[in-house]
Each structure stands twice: as C-alpha cells, then as structure tokens.
Amino acid sequence: MKIVEATEEHLFIIQSLSDKIWPPTFADILTEEQIVYMMDMMYSTDSLKKQMGELNHHYLLAQEDGEYLGFVSYETNYKEENITKVHKIYVLPSLHGKGVGCFFINTVGEIAMKNGNKELSLNVNRLNKAIDFYKKMGFEIVKTEDIDIGNGFLMEDYIMNKKL
Ligand SMILES: CC(C)(COP(=O)(O)OP(=O)(O)OC[C@H]1O[C@@H](n2cnc3c(N)ncnc32)[C@H](O)[C@@H]1OP(=O)(O)O)[C@@H](O)C(=O)NCCC(=O)NCCS
C-alpha cells in the first residue's frame, strides 16, 4: 500500500470515494437530506479546491495495485496551536478492518510530529462506530460539540484527541 498526496488532479477520485463511503456510513445516523447537504458542503469541486488551496488541508490517498482505497485529510498547526486536525478519514466499506485506517492515522501522526505538533484532534459524530476505532488508535473523548451547519442541520460531535 502506498500513499499519494492528492492534488487538484485527484479531486474526482476523492469525490468518487466519498460517494461510495458516505451513504453507508451515515444512513443510520443522518437524514438523506443532511447527507446530501453535507456532501455538497465538503466534497463539491469548489469546496475541495478551497480546502486545498486556501485552508491548508492536505489530502492523502491510499493506493494499492492502481486502486484507490480511501483518503485522509489533515491540517497541521490547527488554529495556530501545536495540534494537527484530522479533518476526514474514509476507507472503502469493503476494505474496513484491513489496516488502512490505522496506516492513515500513523502516517498523519508522523507528519504532525515532523511539524512539531504534539497532538492529533478530530470531530466524530456521537453515533459513529468509528469512535471505537479512534479509541483503539489511542484517541480519547475530550469534548462534546454541536455545530450549526445551516439549513436547520446540526453536527452532533465528540472531539477526540490523541497525544503524540
Ligand atoms: C473508521 C475507519 C476509517 C477505520 O478504518 P479501517 O481501515 O477499517 O481500520 P483498521 O483496519 O486500520 O483498524 C485498526 C484497528 O481498529 C479496529 N477497528 C476498526 N474499526 C473499528 C470499529 N468500528 N470498532 C472497533 N474497532 C475497530 C480494528 O479491528 C483494528 O484493530 P486491531 O489493530 O486490533 O486489528 C473506517 O472504518 C471507515 O472508513 N469508516 C467509515 C467512515 C467513517 O466513519 N469515517 C470517520 C468519520 S469521523
């Protein structure tokens, strides 16, 4: 398995992966309307270009035998602190449990440490099974956060952190 740093050339790959991963992940957690709204907010071409070009989000893709397996995005020095924010981590459903997520967290952890960051931080929906994955990876819940994302929708999250 290798890591490819995504550029604007890979936007359609990120979009195609999120189309396959988002609906099954959130079908039992969010309404279909909220899934469509959030996917547009996060994965439209304009949004991805802004994240990469202006907001300092880096996207990494995992690739094996020419196939893309998932992606992670991160931002070092988040809010000018010694924290790397893991904005997104998504692996194709058929490949869960095979080590890709762990590989992503370890890779981002190494990048964070090279940048002098001391902690990884992320938001996760309070009903998402990924919470147990994060606990296994050494994260702990530090806060509960409800974020108003417009159109009457809320993100009902935990903030989880992992010391590096
Ligand atoms: C969460 C996710 C990224 C984890 O990636 P993954 O490739 O399946 O995880 P890994 O195979 O690297 O698992 C690492 C360890 O965590 C464990 N683990 C993974 N998912 C788990 C879960 N839901 N509950 C409990 N343990 C879990 C694995 O068994 C493994 O343990 P081991 O080291 O003892 O074998 C992946 O399941 C995913 O993409 N989920 C859907 C999208 C999502 O919810 N993303 C997070 C949004 S905040």
Side-chain angles (χ1 to χ4, degrees):
M1 185 165 38
K2 70 171 184 174
I3 289 278
V4 176
E5 166 116 40
T7 65
E8 288 197 3
E9 280 173 34
H10 297 98
L11 295 190
F12 75 100
I13 292 164
I14 296 165
Q15 288 165 331
S16 142
L17 285 165
S18 65
D19 283 346
K20 293 184 183 118
I21 305 169
W22 256 71
T25 300
F26 293 106
D28 294 338
I29 301 178
L30 304 174
T31 62
E32 200 180 327
E33 291 75 18
Q34 182 158 354
I35 293 174
V36 170
Y37 180 79
M38 289 182 70
M39 287 187 69
D40 182 58
M41 188 175 90
M42 294 178 179
Y43 298 103
S44 69
T45 301
D46 282 350
S47 172
L48 287 171
K49 280 187 179 170
K50 184 173 175 189
Q51 291 165 43
M52 288 180 179
E54 293 173 36
L55 300 177
N56 199 29
H57 295 198
H58 296 269
Y59 277 80
L60 305 178
L61 295 154
Q63 195 194 47
E64 194 166 61
D65 299 331
E67 301 288 333
Y68 290 99
L69 319 179
F71 60 90
V72 63
S73 79
Y74 68 90
E75 178 184 351
T76 55
N77 305 318
Y78 181 64
K79 294 189 174 164
E80 296 180 10
E81 290 191 72
N82 284 336
I83 293 172
T84 292
K85 177 88 177 186
V86 181
H87 284 289
K88 302 184 176 72
I89 176 166
Y90 289 94
V91 176
L92 284 173
S94 57
L95 302 173
H96 288 178
K98 295 185 190 299
V100 183
C102 177
F103 186 55
F104 277 148
I105 293 294
N106 289 339
T107 302
V108 173
E110 280 167 24
I111 294 168
M113 284 192 284
K114 276 187 194 146
N115 282 276
N117 288 176
K118 308 279 184 237
E119 229 171 333
L120 297 182
S121 182
L122 55 81
N123 277 56
V124 57
N125 182 288
R126 295 198 284 278
L127 296 178
N128 192 334
K129 290 183 288 188
I131 291 166
D132 293 322
F133 161 75
Y134 294 132
K135 285 183 178 163
K136 192 133 209 189
M137 293 292 100
F139 286 81
E140 52 188 25
I141 294 169
V142 294
K143 207 175 152 188
T144 299
E145 184 174 51
D146 288 341
I147 305 168
D148 185 341
I149 53 170
N151 257 33
F153 297 126
L154 276 184
M155 293 202 320
E156 298 173 297
D157 287 352
Y158 288 129
I159 297 179
M160 297 184 77
N161 288 359
K162 172 186 164 82
K163 294 225 182 329
L164 294 170

Coordinates of all heavy atoms in Angstrom, one line a residue, residues 3 6 8 13 19 23-24 35 42 56-57 60 63 81-82 91 93 95 99-100 109 118 120 128 142 164:
I3 N 1.1 5.7 -0.2 CA 0.3 7.0 0.0 C 0.6 7.9 -1.2 O 1.8 8.1 -1.5 CB 0.8 7.6 1.3 CG1 0.3 6.8 2.5 CG2 0.4 9.1 1.4 CD1 -1.1 7.1 3.0
A6 N -2.7 14.0 -2.6 CA -3.6 14.4 -3.7 C -3.4 15.9 -4.1 O -3.1 16.7 -3.3 CB -5.0 14.2 -3.1
E8 N -5.1 18.8 -7.2 CA -6.4 19.1 -7.9 C -6.8 18.0 -8.9 O -7.9 17.8 -9.2 CB -6.5 20.5 -8.4 CG -6.6 21.5 -7.3 CD -7.0 22.9 -7.9 OE1 -7.3 23.0 -9.0 OE2 -7.1 23.8 -7.0
I13 N -11.3 11.6 -7.8 CA -11.1 10.3 -7.0 C -11.6 10.5 -5.6 O -12.3 9.6 -5.1 CB -9.6 10.0 -7.0 CG1 -9.2 9.6 -8.5 CG2 -9.3 8.8 -6.1 CD1 -7.7 9.6 -8.7
D19 N -18.5 9.3 -2.5 CA -19.9 8.8 -3.0 C -20.1 7.4 -2.5 O -21.2 7.0 -2.2 CB -19.9 8.9 -4.5 CG -20.2 10.3 -5.0 OD1 -20.5 11.2 -4.3 OD2 -20.0 10.5 -6.2
P23 N -22.7 7.5 2.1 CA -24.1 7.0 2.3 C -24.1 5.8 3.3 O -24.9 5.8 4.2 CB -24.6 6.7 0.9 CG -23.8 7.6 0.0 CD -22.4 7.6 0.6
P24 N -23.3 4.7 3.1 CA -23.4 3.6 4.1 C -23.0 4.0 5.5 O -23.5 3.5 6.4 CB -22.5 2.5 3.5 CG -21.7 3.2 2.5 CD -22.4 4.4 2.0
I35 N -27.3 14.2 4.6 CA -26.1 13.6 3.9 C -25.8 14.4 2.6 O -24.7 14.7 2.3 CB -26.4 12.1 3.6 CG1 -26.4 11.4 5.0 CG2 -25.3 11.5 2.7 CD1 -26.8 9.9 4.9
M42 N -18.9 19.6 1.7 CA -17.5 19.2 1.9 C -16.8 18.7 0.6 O -15.6 18.6 0.6 CB -17.5 18.0 2.9 CG -17.9 18.5 4.3 SD -17.9 17.0 5.4 CE -18.4 17.8 6.9
N56 N -5.3 25.1 3.7 CA -4.2 24.3 4.1 C -4.5 22.8 4.5 O -3.9 22.2 5.4 CB -3.5 25.0 5.3 CG -2.0 24.5 5.5 OD1 -1.4 24.0 4.5 ND2 -1.6 24.5 6.7
H57 N -5.6 22.3 3.9 CA -6.0 20.9 4.2 C -5.2 20.1 3.2 O -5.2 20.3 2.0 CB -7.4 20.6 3.9 CG -8.4 21.3 4.9 ND1 -9.7 20.9 5.0 CD2 -8.2 22.4 5.7 CE1 -10.3 21.7 5.9 NE2 -9.4 22.6 6.3
L60 N -4.4 12.9 1.6 CA -3.6 11.7 1.2 C -4.5 10.6 0.8 O -5.6 10.3 1.4 CB -2.8 11.2 2.4 CG -1.9 12.2 3.1 CD1 -1.2 11.6 4.3 CD2 -0.8 12.8 2.2
Q63 N -3.3 3.9 -2.0 CA -3.4 3.2 -3.3 C -2.7 1.8 -3.2 O -1.6 1.7 -2.6 CB -2.7 4.1 -4.3 CG -3.0 3.7 -5.7 CD -2.1 4.4 -6.7 OE1 -0.9 4.3 -6.6 NE2 -2.6 5.0 -7.8
E81 N -2.1 26.4 16.8 CA -1.6 25.6 18.0 C -0.8 24.4 17.5 O -0.8 24.1 16.4 CB -2.8 25.1 18.8 CG -3.5 26.3 19.5 CD -4.5 25.8 20.5 OE1 -4.1 25.3 21.6 OE2 -5.7 25.8 20.2
N82 N -0.2 23.7 18.5 CA 0.7 22.6 18.2 C -0.2 21.3 18.0 O 0.1 20.3 18.6 CB 1.7 22.3 19.3 CG 2.8 23.3 19.2 OD1 3.1 23.9 18.1 ND2 3.5 23.5 20.3
V91 N -12.4 5.1 4.4 CA -11.9 3.9 3.8 C -13.1 3.2 3.1 O -14.2 3.1 3.7 CB -11.2 3.0 4.8 CG1 -10.8 1.7 4.2 CG2 -10.0 3.7 5.5
P93 N -15.9 0.7 2.3 CA -16.5 -0.2 3.2 C -16.0 -1.7 3.0 O -15.8 -2.4 4.0 CB -18.0 -0.1 2.9 CG -18.2 1.2 2.3 CD -16.9 1.5 1.6
L95 N -13.2 -2.7 2.5 CA -11.9 -2.8 3.0 C -11.7 -2.5 4.4 O -10.5 -2.4 4.9 CB -10.9 -1.9 2.1 CG -11.0 -2.2 0.6 CD1 -10.2 -1.2 -0.2 CD2 -10.4 -3.6 0.3
G99 N -6.5 -2.5 8.0 CA -5.3 -1.7 8.4 C -5.1 -0.4 7.7 O -4.2 0.3 8.0
V100 N -6.0 -0.1 6.8 CA -5.9 1.2 6.0 C -6.0 2.4 7.0 O -5.2 3.3 7.0 CB -6.8 1.3 4.8 CG1 -6.6 2.6 4.1 CG2 -6.7 0.1 3.9
G109 N 0.1 11.1 12.0 CA 0.8 11.3 13.3 C 2.3 11.6 13.0 O 2.9 12.5 13.7
K118 N 2.0 18.2 18.8 CA 2.0 17.3 19.9 C 0.8 16.5 20.1 O 0.7 15.6 20.9 CB 2.2 18.1 21.2 CG 3.3 19.1 21.2 CD 4.6 18.4 21.6 CE 5.8 19.4 21.6 NZ 6.9 19.1 20.7
L120 N -3.0 14.9 17.9 CA -4.0 14.9 16.8 C -5.3 15.2 17.4 O -5.6 14.8 18.5 CB -4.0 13.5 16.2 CG -2.7 12.9 15.5 CD1 -3.0 11.6 14.9 CD2 -2.2 13.9 14.4
N128 N -21.3 7.5 15.6 CA -20.5 6.8 14.6 C -19.6 5.7 15.2 O -18.9 6.0 16.2 CB -19.5 7.9 13.9 CG -18.9 7.3 12.6 OD1 -18.7 6.1 12.5 ND2 -18.5 8.2 11.7
V142 N -12.6 14.3 24.4 CA -12.3 15.4 25.3 C -13.4 16.5 25.4 O -13.4 17.3 26.3 CB -11.0 16.2 24.9 CG1 -9.8 15.3 25.0 CG2 -11.1 16.7 23.5
L164 N 0.7 12.7 20.9 CA 1.8 12.1 20.1 C 3.1 11.9 20.9 O 3.3 12.6 21.9 CB 2.0 13.0 18.9 CG 0.8 13.0 17.9 CD1 1.1 14.1 16.8 CD2 0.6 11.7 17.2

